[in-house]
Amino acid sequence: MSKITVQLTPEELQALVTLTENQFFRIKYLDPKMPGYKGRPKEVEAAQSAVHVLQAALRKEKGFKDLATK
């Protein structure tokens, strides 16, 4: 799988993390109640993985220690 490098300001990164957290709330709690809803677990799993990468980058930018390297 190829990797993509993107440069974002901390504010842009925070905005993306906030938006994705809101979307995950919708996917988890609201969408299943919609008529005709069909879940996409593979897409959600990939999106959650990407969000974890963004959150780690944001924590690093804010000066928090990475929990995985502890």
Side-chain angles (χ1 to χ4, degrees):
M1 181 183 299
S2 63
K3 298 277 183 173
I4 299 172
T5 302
V6 178
Q7 292 184 351
L8 300 168
T9 65
E11 293 79 16
E12 291 169 331
L13 188 55
Q14 180 64 61
L16 281 176
V17 169
T18 300
L19 285 170
T20 55
E21 288 171 346
N22 292 340
Q23 281 299 105
F24 282 127
F25 178 85
R26 192 195 91 197
I27 289 169
K28 188 172 183 179
Y29 296 107
L30 303 178
D31 285 356
K33 296 178 183 177
M34 301 293 282
Y37 170 76
K38 293 181 182 173
R40 298 182 193 153
K42 297 269 187 204
E43 289 180 15
V44 172
E45 188 177 310
Q48 286 175 326
S49 175
V51 169
H52 288 294
V53 171
L54 291 175
Q55 289 171 329
L58 186 58
R59 285 191 300 272
K60 183 178 177 183
E61 177 63 31
K62 289 183 174 183
F64 292 101
K65 290 184 179 181
D66 186 7
L67 298 175
T69 60
K70 207 171 188 183

